[in-house]
Amino acid sequence: MEIREFQNMIAEIYLHRDLQRGLEKTMLWVVEEVGELAEAVRKGENIGEEIADVIAWIISLANLCRIDVEKEILKKYPMSCKKCGKKPCECDDV
Amino acid sequence: MEIREFQNMIAEIYLHRDLQRGLEKTMLWVVEEVGELAEAVRKGENIGEEIADVIAWIISLANLCRIDVEKEILKKYPMSCKKCGKKPCECDDV
């Protein structure tokens, strides 16, 4: 599934509610879901589901800001490391 | 760009470093980037770039856990709201 396709789908299902809730409360949802992801990582369970949730909420945030996520991702992560330009990355700091 | 394609690209560039760093430190990077996203939302600037960073780090986490992000997303967000089944969503809680 294309990133743009998923972003459009999230807008179709949730944008009316995201608009009602607003930007800051949506960011709070992102933080809440990241907390659940941290718990999943700590316990070593349910990580996949929590990853899906965090990404979906970030897409909701992007829709509220009229940000094209696929475009932003390609801008920053074209085909090689954004810092050293290599693939695989050869930066010093891990 | 397909979600799976982006995940494979992140693995090509960063997996060797992600493996060296390990799961918990990678989750710490996710949290750090979410903090930068919160700052961007608070200030109303740079949101697109921070969104790209958070998603990239979550993909790194997924690669470490051998999680197929596209598969997990489609599992949870098939074509309509996962709770009420409607599109647009008609859940009570915003």
Side-chain angles (χ1 to χ4, degrees):
Chain A
M1 180 171 57
E2 296 274 326
I3 295 171
R4 189 162 289 120
E5 204 179 330
F6 178 57
Q7 180 165 9
N8 290 339
M9 195 183 85
I10 290 290
E12 275 189 64
I13 303 171
Y14 294 116
L15 182 59
H16 65 299
R17 302 169 59 77
D18 295 333
L19 286 163
Q20 191 182 341
R21 180 189 322 109
L23 183 60
E24 284 88 11
K25 280 199 167 78
T26 301
M27 184 66 215
L28 288 179
W29 264 110
V30 170
V31 175
E32 184 173 327
E33 294 294 336
V34 170
E36 292 185 11
L37 176 57
E39 179 182 15
V41 167
R42 181 175 58 78
K43 293 178 176 174
E45 60 190 32
N46 230 24
I47 297 172
E49 184 178 347
E50 299 307 334
I51 282 177
D53 284 349
V54 174
I55 291 178
W57 276 104
I58 287 174
I59 298 289
S60 273
L61 193 84
N63 284 333
L64 280 177
C65 301
R66 301 175 70 85
I67 281 165
D68 182 329
V69 173
E70 182 159 339
K71 182 171 156 210
E72 293 294 330
I73 280 177
L74 286 169
K75 231 198 287 181
K76 196 121 194 232
Y77 299 91
M79 283 298 293
S80 44
C81 177
K82 54 180 160 46
K83 286 185 189 167
C84 70
K86 298 284 167 66
K87 173 177 146 182
C89 153
E90 289 173 29
C91 285
D92 290 323
D93 61 313
V94 175
Chain B
M1 181 172 58
E2 296 273 327
I3 295 171
R4 189 162 289 120
E5 202 179 333
F6 178 57
Q7 182 165 7
N8 290 339
M9 194 183 85
I10 289 292
E12 276 188 64
I13 303 170
Y14 295 116
L15 182 59
H16 66 300
R17 304 170 58 77
D18 296 333
L19 286 163
Q20 192 182 340
R21 183 190 320 110
L23 185 60
E24 283 87 13
K25 281 201 166 78
T26 301
M27 183 67 215
L28 287 179
W29 265 110
V30 171
V31 175
E32 184 173 328
E33 295 294 336
V34 170
E36 292 185 11
L37 176 57
E39 178 183 16
V41 168
R42 182 174 59 78
K43 294 178 175 175
E45 59 190 33
N46 231 22
I47 296 172
E49 183 178 346
E50 299 306 336
I51 282 177
D53 284 349
V54 174
I55 290 178
W57 276 105
I58 287 174
I59 298 290
S60 272
L61 194 84
N63 284 333
L64 280 178
C65 301
R66 300 174 71 83
I67 282 165
D68 181 328
V69 173
E70 183 161 338
K71 183 171 157 208
E72 292 294 331
I73 280 178
L74 286 169
K75 231 197 287 181
K76 198 126 195 227
Y77 300 90
M79 284 297 294
S80 43
C81 176
K82 56 182 158 42
K83 285 184 190 169
C84 70
K86 299 281 168 66
K87 176 176 146 180
C89 152
E90 289 174 27
C91 285
D92 290 322
D93 60 313
V94 174

